[in-house]
Amino acid sequence: MDGRELVRSMKVVGSVQGLRSVRSAWRQRRADARALPVRGAERARVPGQAAGARPEPGGGVVRFARAELRVCVTVGGAVFWGWDGAEASPSYALAGSPPDPDPRAELEPDTDGGWRVVSERVMVAVSRHGAVEIRTPGGVVLRRELPPRWWEPVAGGVARWVQRAEVAADARFFGLGGRARGPRLADGTYRLWNTDPGGRFGPEDDPLYVTMPVQMVVADAGTHLAFVDNSWDGRVTLREGEEGAGSGHDRPGTSELRMDGGPLRCWVVIGTPARVLHGWTALTGAPVPPPAWALGPQHARWGFGSAAEVRRVVAGYRERGLPLSAVHLDIDHYDGHQVFTVDGERFPDLPGLAAELRADGVRLVSIVDPAVKAAAGNAVYESGRAVDAFVRDARGEEVRGEVWPGECAYPDFTDPGVREWWGGLYAERLAQGFSGVWHDMNEPVSFAPFGDTTLPRSARHRLEGRGGDHREAHNVYGLEMARAGFEGLRGLRPDERPFLFSRSGWAGMQRYGGTWSGDVATGWPGLRASLALVLGLGLCGVPYSGPDVGGFDGSPSPELYLRWFQLGAYMPLFRTHAAIDAGRREPWEFGAEVLEHARAALAERERLRPYFMTLAQLARLTGAPYVRPVWWGAPEDRALRDCGDAFMLGDGLLVAPVLARGADRRAVRLPRGRWYDTATGRAYEGPGQVLVDAPLSRVPVLARAGAVIPVRGEDGAVELEAWAPAPGRTGGGLVIGDPGDGWGAAEVERYTSRVVDGEVRVERVTDAGAVAPERAVRVRGVASAGG
C-alpha cells in the first residue's frame, strides 16, 4: 500500500472514514483472492481454416476448424457478427429485441475459400482464416477485423481475447464514451472501465465515468460506427494510419481491443454521420428529450447548506434579471448523507420550498447516490434487505463499501425486482417537491486509498437471472440504475417525461436521460476537456450532456469562468456547479463586467430555446446530437476531422468557444459554403480558415447561409431567423415545437429559403405545397445576399 495514497484518502474523506475505507479495500481484496480463480497456464486459440457454412436469414454461420462465426445483415443495414455462438441478445445496450434479418441478404461463396453477404447498403466478406471485412456496396473496405485470438485457462475458466482491426490510412477515430482527450482520439490506449478519477480530472486522465466500446470512424471512403457488445473490462489501443508518399505504401490505421472476458460480438453501421447515428439509435433506443424547462440555465452547488441559502441564490438571479430554470441540491441536503432523506433542521419544509420556487419558474433537482447506509433503523436499508436487494459476495454475504454515509450496501440493479423496488423509492423525492434527479457516484464508488474505487470483482450479480460477477456488471451498473430511476419516475407520474441524468452509464443510456462531465478540473485544460466530452458522448448516441461550468474544484479566474459560462450557454445541459470548498459560482460573484457578459450569454440561450427544443426533438427522431463536430456535414473534409476547438449546434450554427487565456481573436475552420458572423453580419466563404473577433463579451458564432432557425421573439412567441442564402443557393430549417412535458407527438415544420428578385423568401413546406409561414420572419445577412 502506498502511504501517500492513504494520506490523500484521509484528507478527502476524513481520518476516521479514511481508515474505514482502508479496511473496506482490504476486505475487497481478500474477497477477490478467495473467489476469483488464478488464471494459471493458458492455451492460445485462433479460428483456423474455414470448413463450411450454413446459410441463415440475413447471412449465416461460417464454421472454422476451432471456432464459428455468425454474420447477419439486418433490415436497417446494420451488421452483426459474433464468434463462438455469441448472439445479439441478451444485451444491455439494445432497445428490445434485435432488428430482423434482411431477407434479401444471403450468404454465398467468395473467392479464395471465403464467404460474403451482399445487401443493398453494405457488403460483408469473411476470409478463409476468419478476417471480417465491412465494405460499401461498391466494394470499398471500411473496416477489416483480423482473425481473433483467445487465451483459455487450461484448468477452465473465462477466456480473454484480442481483436485487431484495420481502417483506412486517412481515418480518424472518435467516441469510446466520455473522453477528456478528444474529440478526435489520438494514438494511445483507452480503458473500458467506468471510473471515478477521485475528485477532479483533466485531459490527461483516462478512463472516466462513461466508457463505451463504441467507435465512430471517419475516412474518405465513408463513415462507420463499430460497437463491441461486451461490458467486461478492456483496453482499446488506437493508432492512426499514414499515407504513403510517391510510390510508398499506405500504413492503415489500427484498433486493438483486448477484453478480460465476455462475448466477442460486434455491430457495425455505415453511411453518412447522420445515417450512422440514426442506425445506432435504432439499435440502442431513441434519446428521451428532457422537459422544456431542463433546456434552460441550471444552478448547482455542493454545499448550499440550507433553504435560506437556496432562497438567497434564487433571489440573486431574480433581482439581477437573470433567467434560472432549476436549482440542484447535492448530498448536503440529506440527513447524514443518507439517500432518500432530508435534513429537517436545514430544510424544515422542503415541499414548501419547492412549491415556492416552482411558482417562480424554478424547479428543484435532487442528487441520488446508489450506496445505502447499512445500519439498523435506516428505512431504505431495511426495505432493501426485505427484498434481498443488495449485492452479495461469493459466500452470500452483503458486499459493503465506504461512501459518504459511512458503511454502505449496494443495490443490484441487474435484477428486475430490485429495479422495481428502487424505482418506487423515488416517490419520496417527488413528495418532497423535486422535479428531477441526477445520479452520482454510480460507477459505483467505494472509497479506497489504492486500487479500484469500486466493488470487488468477485461480487455476485443477478444479471437478469443469468448470474455472474462484477467483472461483467460493473460497466452497466450506472446504466441499470438510470433504468430503475427512469422507469420508477415514469410509473409514479406517467403523464410526465422524467428528468434524469447520470454520471455513469453505458451504451444505450440515452433511453433514460443524459449525463454530465463529472468533476472536471478547474483550469483552461478542463475547459477544453469539457467540449471534448460533450462531442464524444454525442457521437456515442448520448446527445444531452454538459460540463460543470467553471470546473468542479478550485476557484476559476473571472476570465476563465466567463469563457466557461459562454461555452455552457451553447451546451445541451447548461449547469454551473462546484465542490463544497470551491467557492460560489453565481455570475455576480466575479465582478460587474463578468455579470454583464454572463447576462448576455443567458439572454442568447433564452432566445435560442426554441432551437434547443427543436434539436432535442430531432435527437429523439433521428439520433443526431445537438452538439456535433464541424465535420458532421462534410466528413470528406480532412481538415475538419482534425478540428476539435469548435462545434456545430444543429445544422445552422457554428460555435467557436474561446479556450485560451487572454484571447480576443481566434481562428475558425469553416466547412464549405457561406457563413455569417451573427454579431457583425460579416460573411465568410468556406472551406478554409478565417480569423474572427472574440471579445470578452462573446464567443464567435457563425450562421450557415440559408439557415432558418427558430428563436424566441421579444413578445415570447417563436419566430424564424432566416440567414440569406448565397447567390444561386437555397437553404432551410426545421421547427419542432414543445409537445409539453408528457409523451405527446411533436409537430415538425419544414421551411425553405431562397433569393427571389433580390429578396429572401421563406416558405413552409406542406403536403399541399409551399405556403407563406404563419410565424414572423426576420431576415439577416441581406446586405451580403447578392454577392
Side-chain angles (χ1 to χ4, degrees), residues 483-497:
R483 178 181 179 182
F486 181 85
E487 291 177 348
L489 289 168
R490 184 169 184 177
L492 291 164
R493 290 190 178 169
D495 296 331
E496 293 184 14
R497 282 199 312 279

Side-chain angles (χ1 to χ4, degrees), residues 52 54 212 243 284 301 308 339 343 349 351 367 470 491 534 537 541 583 596 605 613 633 696 698 739:
R54 182 178 71 251
M212 300 182 197
E243 292 182 299
T284 60
R301 191 200 307 162
V339 67
D343 186 325
D349 181 15
I367 191 173
H470 197 66
V534 175
L537 287 162
E596 176 188 355
R605 172 63 174 233
M613 174 57 67
L696 196 61
R698 60 179 174 85

Side-chain angles (χ1 to χ4, degrees), residues 24-39:
S24 174
W26 279 117
R27 286 198 301 267
Q28 292 183 17
R29 284 194 169 188
R30 287 199 304 269
D32 285 346
R34 286 193 303 263
L36 295 180
V38 178
R39 295 199 65 88

Side-chain angles (χ1 to χ4, degrees), residues 40 54 112 120 152 171 254 260 268 352 407 439 453 612 632 648 669 693 712:
R54 182 178 71 251
D112 197 27
E120 182 181 0
E152 299 166 329
T254 59
D260 288 350
V268 181
E407 188 176 50
H439 288 173
T453 55
F612 275 93
W632 178 264
M648 297 297 303
R669 176 70 61 177
D693 290 333
R712 180 178 292 172

Side-chain angles (χ1 to χ4, degrees), residues 93 214 267 279 408 477 501 529 540 547 549 558 566 617 686 695 706:
V214 180
W267 288 92
C408 292
Y477 190 89
F501 61 102
C540 292
V549 167
Q566 290 166 337
Q617 294 295 329

